[in-house]
């Protein structure tokens, strides 16, 4: 399906309208950003890797009864998806402490959490995506319906159990990841955005080598090689 008009450009993707109502094309970009885009870079071929990884994982989730915006992959860096109104919450699931959690609470980096932690961050670049709770969601009028927030948590846990088990079978530890949900034309809440090494942390099960965007955030090098390794393991 042809792209008609660019509707939105985010840090990792561009969204285009198509000739069909409520059907969009998402194009995965090679750009890399970190720390609320204070750090910028680019890695040729990264968009194609994330497009393939996201397509595979959304198909896996659909097979496990998780409704997503994903329709199909069109080519190496474009997918067809349902238009949704994004709920401005970044839903983060953590299995192992690292990143901002260790900084915020002083938990030892690499500590396996006693249960999977689900957190909400307010999706607002100007504010630096602050951590929020259910009452903040009401005050910000993200929703007045706590059941919707419970649904997000429930879906996030379900997605975590599918992905954690899948990556474990590929010798990767799913450390943490970020999800975004949206409402479709019928008002159903479905998973949107992407699931890729840009939005997840993966550590090798044997060596704890980081195979995700932390390689860019922390200047560890071999960013593209790491993303390729994740795709190769997914497809193996
Ligand atoms: P954090 O430890 O920096 O809060 O990140 C938690 C997870 O969320 C990690 O897998 C990276 C992902 N993430 C995003 O996808 N986008 C973001 O803007 C941030 C801050 C984190
Ligand atoms: N995605 C965010 C940014 O582009 C932060 C991050 O992933 O580290 O700035």
């Amino acid at each position: 399906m042809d792209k008609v008009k660019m509707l939105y450009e985010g840090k990792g993707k561009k969204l285009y309208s198509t000739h069909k109502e409520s059907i969009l094309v998402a194009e995965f970009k090679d750009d890399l950003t970190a720390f609320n885009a204070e750090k910028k870079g680019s890695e040729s071929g990264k968009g194609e890797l994330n497009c393939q990884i996201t397509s595979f994982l959304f198909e896996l989730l659909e097979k496990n009864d998780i409704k997503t915006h994903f329709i199909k992959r069109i080519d190496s860096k474009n997918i067809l998806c349902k238009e949704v109104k994004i709920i401005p919450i970044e839903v983060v699931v953590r299995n192992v402490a690292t990143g901002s959690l260790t900084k915020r609470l002083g938990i030892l980096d690499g500590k396996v959490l006693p249960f999977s932690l689900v957190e909400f961050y307010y999706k607002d670049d100007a504010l630096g995506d602050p951590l929020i709770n259910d009452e903040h969601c009401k005050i910000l009028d993200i929703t007045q319906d706590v059941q919707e927030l419970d649904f997000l948590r429930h879906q996030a846990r379900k997605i975590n159990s599918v992905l954690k088990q899948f990556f474990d079978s590929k010798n990767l530890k799913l450390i943490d990841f970020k999800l975004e949900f949206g409402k479709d034309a019928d008002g159903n809440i479905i998973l949107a955005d992407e699931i890729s090494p840009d939005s997840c942390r993966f550590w090798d099960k044997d060596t704890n080598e980081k195979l995700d965007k932390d390689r860019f955030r922390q200047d560890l090098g071999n960013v593209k090689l790491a993303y390729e390794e994740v795709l190769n393991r997914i497809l193996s």
Side-chain angles (χ1 to χ4, degrees):
M1 205 172 300
D2 290 335
K3 293 171 178 168
V4 174
K5 186 176 161 235
M6 193 172 83
L7 303 175
Y8 169 81
E9 178 164 9
K11 294 184 197 120
K13 289 180 297 304
K14 289 180 188 169
L15 286 180
Y16 296 87
S17 62
T18 65
H19 290 292
K20 250 187 141 177
E21 211 187 301
S22 303
I23 305 288
L24 305 183
V25 170
E27 178 189 321
F28 288 74
K29 305 198 309 182
D30 287 341
D31 298 349
L32 279 156
T33 64
F35 316 119
N36 207 8
E38 270 172 39
K39 178 170 177 166
K40 289 193 175 94
S42 179
E43 193 73 41
S44 170
K46 191 267 297 184
E48 297 195 1
L49 291 163
N50 278 358
C51 181
Q52 288 185 75
I53 293 169
T54 290
S55 299
F56 185 98
L57 296 176
F58 274 71
E59 274 172 10
L60 174 72
L61 291 173
E62 288 278 355
K63 282 181 206 146
N64 284 275
D65 290 328
I66 309 278
K67 297 269 176 285
T68 78
H69 73 152
F70 181 78
I71 300 172
K72 65 171 185 176
R73 185 157 70 88
I74 304 171
D75 58 30
S76 60
K77 59 175 180 176
N78 292 282
I79 63 168
L80 209 59
C81 52
K82 289 180 203 152
E83 184 168 23
V84 294
K85 190 168 186 304
I86 288 287
I87 297 168
I89 299 177
E90 300 203 340
V91 181
V92 169
V93 182
R94 301 178 187 272
N95 297 309
V96 174
T98 193
S100 70
L101 181 70
T102 56
K103 287 198 193 83
R104 193 168 63 245
L105 299 180
I107 303 172
L108 203 64
D109 194 276
K111 182 181 166 29
V112 177
L113 297 172
F115 54 88
S116 303
L117 176 65
V118 180
E119 297 173 323
F120 291 161
Y121 293 83
Y122 182 34
K123 195 172 147 59
D124 185 315
D125 283 341
L127 298 174
D129 300 340
L131 182 70
I132 50 172
N133 63 23
D134 288 22
E135 289 179 312
H136 293 123
C137 290
K138 280 190 175 178
I139 287 168
L140 291 166
D141 206 17
I142 294 171
T143 181
Q144 297 301 329
D145 185 355
V146 177
Q147 281 183 6
E148 287 193 349
L149 301 176
D150 287 338
F151 182 72
L152 296 183
R153 276 185 283 265
H154 182 256
Q155 292 303 90
R157 290 191 192 285
K158 223 163 123 180
I159 292 164
N160 184 44
S161 65
V162 172
L163 295 183
K164 209 174 144 198
Q165 197 182 2
F166 173 74
F167 282 110
D168 186 70
S169 75
K170 305 294 178 184
N171 222 37
L172 285 171
K173 289 191 228 175
L174 178 60
I175 302 299
D176 57 27
F177 57 97
K178 183 262 301 180
L179 302 170
E180 292 185 27
F181 294 85
K183 283 191 183 170
D184 68 11
D186 302 319
N188 300 310
I189 296 177
I190 60 177
L191 181 67
D193 195 47
E194 67 181 270
I195 304 182
S196 73
D198 273 5
S199 62
C200 304
R201 289 192 173 100
F202 303 111
W203 293 359
D204 179 84
K205 224 159 96 177
D206 301 321
T207 64
N208 280 341
E209 187 190 2
K210 296 178 200 288
L211 296 168
D212 55 62
K213 197 162 90 170
D214 270 351
R215 301 205 70 84
F216 171 73
R217 293 189 188 98
Q218 299 171 14
D219 294 317
L220 300 174
N222 293 333
V223 178
K224 193 176 164 191
L225 265 180
Y227 284 47
E228 275 168 353
E229 179 65 23
V230 171
L231 177 62
N232 289 339
R233 291 201 198 183
I234 284 175
L235 299 178
S236 68

